[in-house]
Amino acid sequence: TAGGLARLPRALGLHHPAVVVLELGGNDGLRALPIEQMRANLGRMIDLAKGAGAKVLLLGMRIPPNYGPQYTQQFSAVYADLARDEHVPLVPFLLSDVALHPDLMQADGVHPVEAAQPLLLATVWPVLAPLLKC
């Protein structure tokens, strides 16, 4: 999220998007970044995007359970808490229909393969489509 936060102001200024889809945080979780730092980075990105006149869609992520129940629960709660507090729509877990299917994930077990893309679209589209309507 730190890298996304660093790049976002320039991207907003260059492109003036009507909609910003934020799907960040997975690497923070895998690196066990402090939850409050991730929350602050995502919250700041939401504020920047909204301040630039964009609608925001937040796509939630989860991390493997081997990070411990407390950290994994706090990690996934960040997305729901921010969506509620910032009044932005949320897809709770982008990989909900693909994460547990090894044939839809790369060998690293973290990133989806090309064949998973239609399922990711089916997960995101119902929440994204209303944001695209004028």
Side-chain angles (χ1 to χ4, degrees):
T1 56
L5 178 56
R7 292 185 301 274
L8 185 61
R10 182 173 185 271
L12 291 170
L14 283 174
H15 303 290
H16 309 285
V19 176
V20 171
V21 179
L22 286 178
E23 186 273 310
L24 294 168
N27 288 335
D28 289 356
L30 295 175
R31 294 180 183 127
L33 185 80
I35 296 295
E36 285 308 315
Q37 187 176 348
M38 184 182 93
R39 181 189 319 268
N41 290 343
L42 286 170
R44 181 71 182 128
M45 284 186 271
I46 292 169
D47 291 343
L48 287 169
K50 288 167 79 175
K55 299 174 188 174
V56 177
L57 171 58
L58 185 59
L59 304 182
M61 293 302 296
R62 293 189 185 156
I63 56 171
N66 57 312
Y67 285 79
Q70 182 178 2
Y71 187 81
T72 56
Q73 183 179 26
Q74 290 174 350
F75 180 89
S76 44
V78 164
Y79 298 96
D81 292 348
L82 279 172
R84 180 194 65 233
D85 296 347
E86 297 286 343
H87 307 288
V88 297
L90 171 69
V91 172
F93 181 37
L94 174 62
L95 303 176
S96 62
D97 292 332
V98 301
L100 297 178
H101 300 278
D103 58 317
L104 296 176
M105 299 297 287
Q106 294 182 28
D108 64 8
V110 176
H111 298 95
V113 298
E114 181 181 350
Q117 299 307 306
L119 293 170
L120 297 175
L121 175 61
T123 299
V124 173
W125 189 250
V127 185
L128 177 59
L131 297 178
L132 300 175
K133 295 186 179 173
C134 296

